[in-house]
Amino acid sequence: MGSKKTKAATNSSREELDLSEVSRPINIDSSDFEKIVNEIARDEKERRKGETRKNPYYAIKLIKESGLGAIQLPKKYGGNNASVRDLLYVVMRLAEADPDVAHILRFHYSFVERLLRETNRQTDNNKLLEKIAAGVIIGNAYTEINNRNVGGQNLFDTTLTPDEDGYRLKGTKYFCTGTLYADLVAVLASNLDGTPVSLLIPTNREGVIIEDDWDGIGQKLTGSGTTHFQNVFVQKEEVKKLSDNSTRFSSLLQLYLHGIIAGILRSVVSDGANIVKSRKRTFSFAAAKLPREDPQLLQTLGEISSIAFTAESLIYVAADAIDRASKSAVNGVVNYSLSHHASLLAAQTKVVVDELALKASTLLFDVGGASATKQSAHLDRHWRNIRTLASHNPTIYKARIIGDYRVNGKDLPLQKGYL
């Protein structure tokens, strides 16, 4: 059988949250949702103690059992018909509680969004929607370490070859965020003639080896590691040709990362406020005897709070644009102009939010003083997590293509297969 390394117990010694009375589909404006978010936050704080690596299996269990992974589905499929704006709100709240958990679900939520656009023309999607409604989480195995550009549908080193009544899958994928915690994994591969194909298979199938070997400075428990496919059998119905849809950009996948950053900024604000309120000592040259009365510290915290507000506001504007583009889909194909506009707004959001978020996570230490640098305070996690998230899709490239569009009228580049 395939194996998942470092698969740990789903919970600590603390009693688990009883979800027996949580209504499904879960309402994100309800007390049920607040209970889950608060429980994930408590679990994250407890797992953070000490130096032992403790993965958020319990948090993912809560999400599966509560139906939170199915909120985008129409109510007839067991979901809550959540819009992209609703989804980004959920992402922010989850990231505020535990940014790793929010990041784990990134591919899952983007996969569901695309699946819903295509459901009308692909009736076989209904069974998959039923699985998602039941709590199934989907991970990915897309990226390879080679000399080909990131983000395209090029020839893959991972191969799919015929074998009796099905196929055999061989290859290795990297940066498979969330797959360690997933039930199904979406894979990109090349068949014998080099045509790229996609497939969806169970993560516990024989020959699927998932390693928890991500060693980044932040987002450490997202399971963004390596996945090996060692002669894995694939059924014919699990394979699909990739659609050559030239009207799609990668707006949701990009904006999702900034939803996580916005959630982290919420924690930066609350941590900063708690530090200032709890500090008893100050410096001889401070502007007030108590830190909570110091106008300079209050000004700094006010700047941090304003940055967090700006990030959320920009994300919601871009999310609404993605919603409009997604709703324009005809037979799975979105309107080019609306999709391009959404991609532009997502790129502009990134250019602004990345810089401001990193600034806010640094300003946190200005209100905390030297004691905020203690390892036990763990406040450096905010900067490390933001820095890791912001390193996706480098800001300098985004700024350049925005400028090229404004000056020369050159459209943003396409990334096929995404919205």
Side-chain angles (χ1 to χ4, degrees), residues 39-48 97-98 381:
E39 183 72 357
I40 290 173
R42 282 195 293 270
D43 181 65
E44 188 276 339
K45 186 175 182 179
E46 186 169 304
R47 287 186 292 102
R48 203 194 312 151
D98 187 339
R381 76 188 190 280

Side-chain angles (χ1 to χ4, degrees), residues 3-115:
S3 66
K4 294 185 179 183
K5 295 186 177 179
T6 67
K7 191 80 172 180
T10 58
N11 194 19
S12 62
S13 58
R14 184 170 41 78
E15 185 178 351
E16 293 188 2
L17 178 66
D18 182 9
L19 295 178
S20 60
E21 297 183 1
V22 171
S23 60
R24 295 185 63 167
I26 190 168
N27 186 340
I28 62 175
D29 295 320
S30 69
S31 60
D32 288 340
F33 177 67
E34 295 300 321
K35 288 178 183 177
I36 292 169
V37 171
N38 291 336
E39 183 72 357
I40 290 173
R42 282 195 293 270
D43 181 65
E44 188 276 339
K45 186 175 182 179
E46 186 169 304
R47 287 186 292 102
R48 203 194 312 151
K49 296 175 182 177
E51 299 179 359
T52 305
R53 183 184 180 97
K54 298 176 182 177
N55 296 67
Y57 291 112
Y58 174 50
I60 300 302
K61 178 175 179 286
L62 289 175
I63 288 167
K64 290 181 177 182
E65 292 181 356
S66 67
L68 196 54
I71 57 171
Q72 298 154 282
L73 303 186
K75 291 186 177 181
K76 67 178 181 179
Y77 290 116
N80 207 21
N81 203 31
S83 65
V84 174
R85 172 185 274 261
D86 294 333
L87 174 63
L88 267 295
Y89 169 74
V90 170
V91 171
M92 290 180 201
R93 296 299 311 281
L94 288 176
E96 182 182 8
D98 187 339
D100 283 328
V101 171
H103 201 172
I104 286 166
L105 298 170
R106 180 187 177 221
F107 180 83
H108 171 82
Y109 281 133
S110 64
F111 183 93
V112 172
E113 187 71 19
R114 185 172 62 186
L115 186 68

Side-chain angles (χ1 to χ4, degrees), residues 157-396:
D157 294 334
T158 301
T159 58
L160 192 70
T161 56
D163 181 64
E164 296 182 356
D165 293 332
Y167 302 91
R168 289 289 174 176
L169 179 67
K170 297 179 183 179
T172 298
K173 298 286 188 174
Y174 302 89
F175 311 121
C176 303
T177 303
T179 302
L180 181 70
Y181 309 92
D183 305 288
L184 299 173
V185 57
V187 188
L188 294 183
S190 294
N191 63 19
L192 284 177
D193 64 5
T195 302
V197 295
S198 65
L199 48 140
L200 192 65
I201 59 176
T203 54
N204 63 355
R205 184 167 291 177
E206 184 176 1
V208 178
I209 309 297
I210 302 172
E211 297 191 60
D212 191 11
D213 57 353
W214 165 242
D215 65 348
I217 62 171
Q219 298 300 103
K220 291 189 173 184
L221 300 176
T222 57
S224 301
T226 308
T227 302
H228 304 281
F229 300 99
Q230 299 179 350
N231 202 36
V232 178
F233 180 76
V234 179
Q235 300 171 8
K236 288 184 177 180
E237 59 270 23
E238 294 173 327
V239 180
K240 293 182 181 180
K241 289 185 177 180
L242 289 176
S243 59
D244 184 16
N245 184 350
S246 61
T247 67
R248 292 178 184 167
F249 298 84
S250 56
S251 312
L252 180 56
L253 281 168
Q254 292 178 44
L255 193 64
Y256 192 104
L257 294 173
H258 291 83
I260 303 173
I261 290 176
I264 295 172
L265 287 174
R266 284 181 167 223
S267 293
V268 173
V269 174
S270 59
D271 282 351
N274 289 334
I275 288 171
V276 176
K277 285 188 289 186
S278 62
R279 278 179 62 182
K280 303 301 180 184
R281 295 192 310 144
T282 189
F283 297 93
S284 59
F285 43 82
K289 292 183 178 180
L290 291 175
R292 65 187 302 156
E293 298 172 352
D294 190 318
Q296 290 180 291
L297 296 183
L298 296 176
Q299 178 182 347
T300 302
L301 188 62
E303 184 176 358
I304 294 172
S305 180
S306 299
I307 288 173
F309 168 76
T310 299
E312 290 193 26
S313 299
L314 290 174
I315 288 166
Y316 283 137
V317 171
D320 288 342
I322 296 175
D323 264 324
R324 288 191 292 272
S326 186
K327 290 175 182 177
S328 75
V330 177
N331 293 326
V333 180
V334 296
N335 177 275
Y336 180 91
S337 178
L338 291 176
S339 185
H340 182 273
H341 180 64
S343 186
L344 175 65
L345 293 187
Q348 290 174 319
T349 297
K350 175 179 175 59
V351 171
V352 174
V353 169
D354 281 0
E355 181 178 355
L356 290 179
L358 288 167
K359 179 182 180 181
S361 61
T362 299
L363 288 174
L364 178 62
F365 292 92
D366 288 342
V367 301
S371 59
T373 65
K374 292 189 299 183
Q375 194 83 20
S376 58
H378 203 51
L379 294 176
D380 62 307
R381 76 188 190 280
H382 298 312
W383 186 92
R384 289 186 292 99
N385 288 335
I386 292 172
R387 180 65 270 175
T388 300
L389 290 161
S391 296
H392 292 68
N393 310 306
T395 308
I396 55 173

Side-chain angles (χ1 to χ4, degrees), residues 111-128:
F111 183 93
V112 172
E113 187 71 19
R114 185 172 62 186
L115 186 68
L116 290 173
R117 287 201 310 272
E118 297 176 345
T119 296
N120 290 336
R121 65 191 177 112
Q122 295 185 19
T123 55
D124 59 329
N125 284 347
N126 292 338
K127 291 182 179 180
L128 183 53

